[in-house]
Amino acid sequence: MEYKEFCEQLIELVGGKENIQSVTNCMTRLRFKLKDRDAAKTEEIKELTDVIDVVSNEVAYQVIIGTQVQEIRPEMNQILGLTGENKQSETGEKEKFVTMALRVLSESMGPILIPIMAAGLLAGILSLISLTGLVSAEDSTYMILDSIRQAVFFFLPVLIAISFARNLDVNEYLAVTIALTLLSETINGVKGLDFLGLKLPETTYSNSFFPIILSIIFMKYVGKVLEKVMPKALQYFFNPVLILIITLPITLILFGPLGTYIGEGLNFVFDFVGNTFGSWSVVMLYAALQPFLITIGAGNFIIPIFMNSYATLGYDPVFTVAWIISDIAVCGAVLGYFFRSKDQKQKQLFATTAFSAFMGVTEPAIYGVFVKYRRPYLAVIIGGGLGGLFAGLMKVIGYAPVSLFGLASFIGQNNYKNFYMMIVAVIIGFVGAGIAAFILGIPDDEKVKGKSAVSVETNEEAVTKLLVKAPVKGKNVVLSNVNDKAFASSALGKGLGIEPEEDLIHAPVNGEVVSLFPTSHAIGIKTEYGVEILIHIGINTVELEGKYFESFVKQGDQVAVGDPILRADMAGIRSEGYDPVVITVITNTADYLDVLPSNDSSLSSQEDCLTVVV
């Protein structure tokens, strides 16, 4: 249990075991389905050692960790008392159909990528071995190893049945039985079949995975109906066989043709786009914009599309090419920053994230560098876009879903031109993004501190946040506990209070002094991004008529983070019987998605105390 302590901390911070409905993972992140997302302490989770970032959207509450998530997930399952893939618990809350569909699709497709990528990488290795002449394609050793790749793609419906059954709470063994039946010699691709006199269309189930997905969904509802109508004493004996004999004919009659039409429809869309705009446009756009999709947690939604291409066409004309170019462009962009930076701490960050991106895992670079400095996004748009444009114009296609290390798979069946053009496209993406990042440069730290672009809790897109510093050192006071109804009710805006341990008040942001009360007990500052901050010293201290208060600024002045703006004699205020709590609120809270106060029990001056989600 190497990650036991981390798992226990994470479980507590997402709201405890009772708040977790389900946990799944993809290559780099844990995906939580939570009963109450507000119970999750997002900012504290981000501070955990193994956490890169947190993204929350309609699909899931996602904690980005890195490739070690494969080791963390089993330990978390053990602590939660789950075996294998956990089942979603019943909460009484009805999940929207679209949200449920996106979640199940995303969570089910992720695990399937592992054997598919392994098969793709094996195909690349075999191509290299064959190219060197050490082993020919007719050699039995080659054929035995290649049978792994063939098996993965032929039995893909079985893998899909397992993954979807786990996520939909369907019996996995019944799901696999249906999948294997569809792939049997008596059904798969056989002409002239009929069921009870009804002619069945010829369907090659090994070349399409949509029928099995529809079949598993249908199986779930058949099981629910049988549980209601079948006496409990008979369910164990009769429900499994009834589920099979109901699901199989419906799949053969309805889902087989329907799934085939869906697959053909996707192919038609790409043919139409290719013939109208050129397939190069899709390759270019995806290679340029993939980091944005990863930022918002939407990277998995292309999986059904490219898997359909492999199943029906035998190759992928768009996404495999595009994501490899985009990944290497991310590496190039961060490496460009490495050569541009003179700060050793920055260089270490850029070096490690560049290496991770080179290995095909771009999340550390995207969440550690891109969302902070923002300009690398533009570098990948330039470099990745150029590489994708070249690959699209040269009509490069992928024969297996691989990473950079599987480039040899682009040879396919002696298609060396395809292989060479892909290498050129990868070089263009890498060099173009690296040069663009070097030229665009690294924003000054002060600018980054003033406005940090990060991915936060949204439904569709990444947004920005403004960090507000603590104006004074002291004990953190929850706003609702402040002894003033107007502030405690958040009627004046969300924020927090601080029991001051010093007299000097500092500017919490860069901005303009837009208001200063004559008594100097309260001051308003507006940032260049429109955030309006009110700092109010004490409860009812206006009655002191300025006694014990001194201001160092006037209305209209520009202030920078940390500048002294006011002085209040806290001991004198207390001696008069007044509460000197320093209240900081965002008066235009309604203009933003949220205002999140710090959870730290005490705050030092200039430590982050509020996060405004823009």
Side-chain angles (χ1 to χ4, degrees):
M1 296 286 286
E2 181 183 353
Y3 294 97
K4 179 181 179 182
E5 183 179 351
F6 169 77
C7 290
E8 290 174 342
Q9 289 177 327
L10 185 54
I11 289 169
E12 181 182 351
L13 291 175
V14 297
K17 293 182 180 181
E18 63 280 0
N19 194 39
I20 299 174
Q21 289 181 262
S22 65
V23 187
T24 57
N25 70 277
C26 59
M27 296 292 288
T28 58
R29 65 190 71 193
L30 287 171
R31 298 171 179 268
F32 289 91
K33 177 66 178 175
L34 302 177
K35 296 178 184 177
D36 179 12
R37 291 198 188 187
D38 293 336
K41 300 176 181 178
T42 300
E43 294 304 316
E44 291 187 35
I45 293 173
K46 291 180 181 180
E47 296 299 320
L48 294 177
T49 304
D50 289 296
V51 173
I52 298 171
D53 205 348
V54 176
V55 174
S56 180
N57 55 30
E58 284 289 338
V59 178
Y61 187 87
Q62 305 170 56
V63 180
I64 295 90
I65 295 172
T67 52
Q68 66 267 36
V69 72
Q70 307 294 338
E71 303 169 35
I72 292 173
R73 168 68 188 285
E75 293 189 17
M76 177 159 288
N77 277 359
Q78 188 172 336
I79 294 172
L80 291 172
L82 302 170
T83 57
E85 296 284 338
N86 58 294
K87 308 296 188 291
Q88 183 177 334
S89 63
E90 297 294 333
T91 64
E93 182 183 353
K94 215 169 184 180
E95 189 176 21
K96 293 180 181 177
F97 176 78
V98 175
T99 303
M100 181 273 291
L102 290 174
R103 175 181 60 77
V104 171
L105 184 66
S106 177
E107 294 177 358
S108 299
M109 288 299 184
I112 302 171
L113 274 181
I114 297 173
I116 289 178
M117 293 188 70
L121 187 58
L122 178 60
I125 294 171
L126 290 175
S127 296
L128 282 177
I129 293 175
S130 177
L131 184 64
T132 59
L134 294 174
V135 178
S136 71
E138 289 75 30
D139 188 274
S140 61
T141 301
Y142 183 99
M143 289 188 288
I144 288 171
L145 291 174
D146 190 50
S147 64
I148 297 175
R149 176 190 61 81
Q150 294 179 35
V152 166
F153 287 104
F154 184 84
F155 291 105
L156 185 60
V158 176
L159 301 177
I160 291 171
I162 295 171
S163 191
F164 271 81
R166 288 176 176 177
N167 277 289
L168 290 172
D169 200 13
V170 172
N171 186 289
E172 297 171 35
Y173 300 99
L174 294 179
V176 169
T177 300
I178 288 291
L180 290 172
T181 305
L182 295 176
L183 295 173
S184 65
E185 292 182 356
T186 55
I187 292 178
N188 187 41
V190 176
K191 295 181 181 179
L193 292 177
D194 69 83
F195 183 77
L196 298 178
L198 183 64
K199 288 187 177 181
L200 300 176
E202 178 189 353
T203 304
T204 305
Y205 291 97
S206 57
N207 288 347
S208 178
F209 64 88
F210 286 112
I212 192 63
I213 293 176
L214 298 173
S215 179
I216 302 306
I217 295 172
F218 179 73
M219 184 182 288
K220 176 182 178 67
Y221 290 101
V222 171
K224 283 188 173 182
V225 171
L226 289 175
E227 286 176 2
K228 291 180 180 179
V229 300
M230 181 69 67
K232 288 190 179 295
L234 301 177
Q235 287 184 11
Y236 180 81
F237 299 99
F238 290 103
N239 279 18
V241 67
L242 288 173
I243 288 172
L244 291 176
I245 63 176
I246 292 172
T247 302
L248 180 59
I250 295 297
T251 301
L252 296 175
I253 296 168
L254 180 62
F255 299 146
L258 181 58
T260 302
Y261 294 148
I262 292 173
E264 291 176 350
L266 285 174
N267 291 336
F268 172 78
V269 170
F270 280 98
D271 285 342
F272 175 79
V273 172
N275 294 329
T276 306
F277 304 102
S279 59
W280 58 266
S281 61
V282 185
V283 179
M284 178 185 69
L285 286 173
Y286 192 82
L289 300 177
Q290 181 181 241
F292 287 103
L293 296 176
I294 293 175
T295 302
I296 64 175
N300 274 7
F301 297 132
I302 66 162
I303 297 176
I305 301 174
F306 75 73
M307 285 176 62
N308 177 70
S309 296
Y310 282 117
T312 57
L313 303 175
Y315 61 87
D316 172 22
V318 176
F319 293 105
T320 304
V321 175
W323 85 53
I324 293 176
I325 294 171
S326 184
D327 285 353
I328 198 64
V330 169
C331 174
V334 182
L335 205 58
Y337 265 16
F338 172 81
F339 288 113
R340 180 67 183 257
S341 177
K342 296 180 180 179
D343 182 270
Q344 289 303 313
K345 188 175 180 180
Q346 279 187 337
K347 289 180 82 74
Q348 183 179 0
L349 170 66
F350 299 148
T352 54
T353 53
F355 176 75
S356 177
F358 181 76
M359 298 300 291
V361 181
T362 56
E363 275 88 346
I366 290 172
Y367 291 105
V369 178
F370 279 47
V371 296
K372 180 179 181 181
Y373 296 107
R374 289 160 290 163
R375 294 179 187 176
Y377 283 112
L378 183 57
V380 172
I381 289 175
I382 295 170
L386 288 174
L389 175 62
F390 178 84
L393 292 174
M394 294 297 104
K395 301 187 183 302
V396 179
I397 59 176
Y399 291 105
V402 294
S403 63
L404 181 68
F405 294 96
L407 280 181
S409 67
F410 282 82
I411 297 174
Q413 297 297 321
N414 298 319
N415 190 355
Y416 291 103
K417 179 184 176 182
N418 188 68
F419 173 62
Y420 297 141
M421 292 302 99
M422 183 60 184
I423 290 178
V424 174
V426 165
I427 293 173
I428 291 173
F430 177 76
V431 175
I435 293 174
F438 188 88
I439 293 174
L440 290 170
I442 306 171
D444 295 337
D445 283 343
E446 289 303 315
K447 292 181 180 179
V448 173
K449 289 178 182 177
K451 183 184 181 185
S452 300
V454 298
S455 180
V456 292
E457 293 74 24
T458 71
N459 291 334
E460 298 293 342
E461 60 187 38
V463 296
T464 58
K465 69 180 182 183
L466 179 74
L467 300 176
V468 178
K469 306 295 183 182
V472 67
K473 178 182 178 182
K475 181 182 177 182
N476 191 348
V477 179
V478 177
L479 191 62
S480 59
N481 292 336
V482 170
N483 191 25
D484 183 290
K485 289 184 179 179
F487 284 112
S489 65
S490 297
L492 299 176
K494 291 184 178 181
L496 82 173
I498 301 175
E499 287 287 351
E501 297 177 2
E502 55 186 20
D503 294 341
L504 198 59
I505 308 298
H506 301 271
V509 292
N510 300 328
E512 178 185 359
V513 177
V514 292
S515 61
L516 178 64
F517 284 79
T519 57
S520 297
H521 77 286
I523 186 171
I525 301 174
K526 185 176 182 178
T527 75
E528 61 178 303
Y529 307 109
V531 180
E532 298 173 3
I533 302 163
L534 171 65
I535 302 173
H536 191 285
I537 305 171
I539 305 298
N540 296 324
T541 48
V542 65
E543 297 172 0
L544 293 173
E545 298 181 346
K547 186 180 180 182
Y548 305 117
F549 294 96
E550 177 185 7
S551 66
F552 305 118
V553 294
K554 61 183 183 299
Q555 189 169 325
D557 283 355
Q558 294 291 328
V559 294
V561 173
D563 286 352
I565 52 176
L566 298 172
R567 184 189 299 278
D569 183 351
M570 302 302 177
I573 294 171
R574 289 188 181 95
S575 68
E576 298 279 354
Y578 291 90
D579 183 353
V581 62
V582 178
I583 303 167
T584 304
V585 297
I586 308 302
T587 55
N588 58 340
T589 292
D591 294 343
Y592 302 99
L593 293 179
D594 207 352
V595 175
L596 308 173
S598 169
N599 291 318
D600 293 339
S601 59
S602 60
L603 298 164
S604 59
S605 180
Q606 300 310 289
E607 182 180 354
D608 296 339
C609 73
L610 294 175
T611 300
V612 181
V613 184
V614 181

